[in-house]
Amino acid sequence: MFMKQITEIKVALAPFNTASKSSRLFLNHITTDASRKINPTIKIATDVLTDPTASSRINVVYRDGQKLSLEADKLKINNLIQVVNKHAKKLEEVEQASNW
């Protein structure tokens, strides 16, 4: 995952809703030690929703200021990571091209 290109991630989920599984897995994926080493300044916020039927939301802010808002209940974890990485990959390519 291109964590270096992300400045902020907000995850809102109902932990006991079975549909929020991908949000829980995404949160687990981004809070690893390896992810923290890549970008130690990233802001990760979690909002636990009390309504067990509430849908999960993931908001991502990239380094260039672009924002992404997702309804995570509708996506599987692989698709969720792919969508988040799409813009981050473009930013990474631009950064590498400018370093040449």
Side-chain angles (χ1 to χ4, degrees):
M1 192 167 192
F2 296 99
M3 295 294 289
K4 185 177 175 185
Q5 302 301 328
I6 299 172
T7 59
E8 185 177 342
I9 298 175
K10 292 181 182 178
V11 180
L13 62 99
F16 299 111
N17 185 348
T18 57
S20 68
K21 180 179 180 180
S22 60
S23 296
R24 292 190 308 267
L25 291 172
F26 181 78
L27 192 58
N28 188 33
H29 185 75
I30 63 172
T31 56
T32 62
D33 289 338
S35 294
R36 289 292 187 162
K37 286 180 184 177
I38 292 170
N39 187 354
T41 61
I42 192 169
K43 297 176 187 174
I44 299 174
T46 306
D47 185 18
V48 178
L49 305 173
T50 57
D51 181 10
T53 61
S55 62
S56 299
R57 305 237 9 116
I58 296 177
N59 297 313
V60 180
V61 179
Y62 297 95
R63 280 197 172 173
D64 66 347
Q66 184 167 342
K67 297 178 182 180
L68 175 68
S69 183
L70 300 166
E71 283 191 38
D73 292 351
K74 297 179 180 179
L75 298 169
K76 294 188 182 277
I77 183 64
N78 293 336
N79 296 347
L80 188 59
I81 291 172
Q82 185 179 17
V83 169
V84 171
N85 276 339
K86 186 175 182 180
H87 184 68
K89 185 176 181 180
K90 290 178 188 176
L91 293 175
E92 185 72 22
E93 289 171 354
V94 168
E95 183 178 307
Q96 287 179 356
S98 66
N99 288 337
W100 278 61

